[in-house]
Amino acid sequence: MAENRGGSLKGKLLLGGGADTAAPAAIDKHFEILLRDNVKQPKDRNCLFVPMGRRPDQYEAAGQWFTSAYGHLFGDIEISTDLSDLNSNNYTSINICGGNSGRLLTHIKETGFDKFLMTHLEEGNIVYGQSAGALVFGKTILTSTPPEHLETSNEGLNLLGPWSLVVHYESARPESKTEIVKEVASELGPIIALRETNGI
């Protein structure tokens, strides 16, 4: 169960270390179980997919990827490109994909989507963040690569108590975060390092 600065939430916050690996993450199976527990029939479930960690020219491709990978779990998928224009909070699940953690965090905070997420979780629903979509829920995004850092505040959504996240840990990607953990762990406090097939 997710924690918000020491407070308990009714919903479930799932965080995955990466979403572009050929091996299905065990957390995906857990995600399916939670969906089934909340709403039994896929046709009765709806999802909000958030691609804002990507560049605008990548939104369509991100939506296509998500629909291909997870479309069978939902009766309806809404792909939002404007987080300030959401009129309801009756989604079974909110799914946030990866990309640039600084870009994503800026969108979330500037549109008030962080409050929307909290309401969603407080009502007992599911949030599933993958890669940068997971990293932003920690204490800081300074565990991402330097180009993703913001000039102003790098404070994350802070739903994990003192913990920050590193994603794509020990992957074959050029931006593998193995060295980042060694460099920043002593400065930023406790860190959870997630491989691409891991999640919490």
Side-chain angles (χ1 to χ4, degrees), residues 158-200:
N158 209 8
L159 294 192
L160 305 177
W163 296 88
S164 299
L165 294 180
V166 167
V167 295
H168 298 290
Y169 184 65
E170 292 184 339
S171 75
R173 297 159 59 108
E175 66 273 29
S176 176
K177 310 302 191 300
T178 309
E179 292 304 315
I180 291 179
V181 172
K182 298 176 183 177
E183 293 173 4
V184 304
S186 61
E187 301 176 11
L188 300 182
I191 289 174
I192 300 172
L194 296 176
R195 296 180 176 87
E196 292 185 343
T197 53
N198 293 153
I200 56 173

Side-chain angles (χ1 to χ4, degrees), residues 11-199:
K12 300 294 183 181
L13 176 60
L14 303 181
L15 304 173
D20 52 1
T21 177
I27 195 170
D28 277 353
K29 298 177 182 178
H30 187 54
F31 177 52
E32 293 190 32
I33 293 170
L34 291 178
L35 286 173
R36 194 162 54 243
D37 288 346
N38 273 21
V39 180
K40 187 172 183 180
Q41 296 297 327
K43 65 181 179 62
D44 297 324
R45 303 176 194 144
N46 62 334
C47 171
L48 176 67
F49 176 67
V50 178
M52 312 303 282
R54 305 285 185 178
R55 299 190 312 268
D57 64 307
Q58 297 175 321
Y59 290 167
E60 183 177 356
Q64 291 173 349
W65 164 80
F66 181 80
T67 300
S68 174
Y70 298 96
H72 64 287
L73 300 175
F74 300 98
D76 181 62
I77 296 175
E78 177 183 340
I79 300 174
S80 175
T81 58
D82 185 356
L83 299 180
S84 65
D85 190 31
L86 299 172
N87 298 317
S88 65
N89 196 18
N90 60 350
Y91 302 103
T92 311
S93 176
I94 296 176
N95 290 61
I96 307 174
C97 78
N100 183 299
S101 59
R103 181 188 297 123
L104 175 60
L105 187 63
T106 298
H107 277 294
I108 290 174
K109 290 185 174 181
E110 288 186 348
T111 60
F113 189 62
D114 50 344
K115 299 177 179 64
F116 191 89
L117 286 169
M118 287 301 302
T119 299
H120 179 79
L121 285 167
E122 287 167 354
E123 292 179 350
N125 300 305
I126 301 167
V127 173
Y128 185 5
Q130 295 171 300
S131 187
L135 190 147
V136 295
F137 284 95
K139 184 177 180 180
T140 178
I141 66 165
L142 290 175
T143 50
S144 62
T145 51
E148 299 181 33
H149 298 171
L150 300 171
E151 293 183 2
T152 54
S153 172
N154 285 283
E155 181 182 1
L157 300 180
N158 209 8
L159 294 192
L160 305 177
W163 296 88
S164 299
L165 294 180
V166 167
V167 295
H168 298 290
Y169 184 65
E170 292 184 339
S171 75
R173 297 159 59 108
E175 66 273 29
S176 176
K177 310 302 191 300
T178 309
E179 292 304 315
I180 291 179
V181 172
K182 298 176 183 177
E183 293 173 4
V184 304
S186 61
E187 301 176 11
L188 300 182
I191 289 174
I192 300 172
L194 296 176
R195 296 180 176 87
E196 292 185 343
T197 53
N198 293 153

